[in-house]
Amino acid sequence: MLAVVLLLAVAPVQAFRTLNTVTPVNNKAQWDFVLADSAAKNRTVIAEFGAVWCGPCTALRSWVQQMSDKYNDLHFVAVDVDDVKEVAKQYNIITMPTFIVLQDTREKERASGAIKSRLEALFHKYSKY
């Protein structure tokens, strides 16, 4: 019991945030649900548009998961442009990966490419942490 109390007393606050996961979006209905649910919860969405054949997208996969854990107040989703063509067309996705920040279902900002420092600055800008 004493060890638990001591651990709680010295552990950093950030360690107690729950881990997040990147939500795969496989169809338009799922996309619409993610946006509506996030808007209802006042949660910012970070949508990563990519494809399984995209080398930079594949290379970033584990790093994006780490960012999702670090910035767990944001809702990270992965949209495969080949599986959800309607959504990719709606957001005019040409370059991959493309990350779009959405708040209350509206696009606020986007970044394309795999420059981690630039992407993390974007995530940090919209995070509470």
Side-chain angles (χ1 to χ4, degrees), residues 12-69:
V13 174
Q14 188 174 9
F16 291 101
R17 292 188 299 170
T18 57
L19 293 180
N20 209 4
T21 187
V22 178
T23 304
V25 173
N26 300 310
N27 56 57
K28 175 78 163 80
Q30 198 174 19
W31 173 257
D32 291 340
F33 175 80
V34 164
L35 290 186
D37 185 59
S38 294
K41 294 176 181 174
N42 199 28
R43 195 168 182 207
T44 299
V45 174
I46 305 292
E48 175 196 4
F49 288 84
V52 294
W53 49 263
C54 168
C57 303
T58 303
L60 282 178
R61 190 168 293 130
S62 65
W63 180 81
V64 171
Q65 179 60 57
Q66 291 170 3
M67 294 297 99
S68 175
D69 293 340

Side-chain angles (χ1 to χ4, degrees), residues 4 31 38-39 53 59 69-70 98 100 108 112:
V4 172
W31 173 257
S38 294
W53 49 263
D69 293 340
K70 181 174 181 177
T98 294
I100 298 181
K108 294 295 184 181
S112 295

Side-chain angles (χ1 to χ4, degrees), residues 81-99:
V81 299
D82 292 325
D83 293 340
V84 195
K85 291 177 181 167
E86 184 179 354
V87 175
K89 185 176 180 178
Q90 176 184 348
Y91 288 91
N92 197 29
I93 303 301
I94 298 168
T95 305
M96 291 178 287
T98 294
F99 292 82

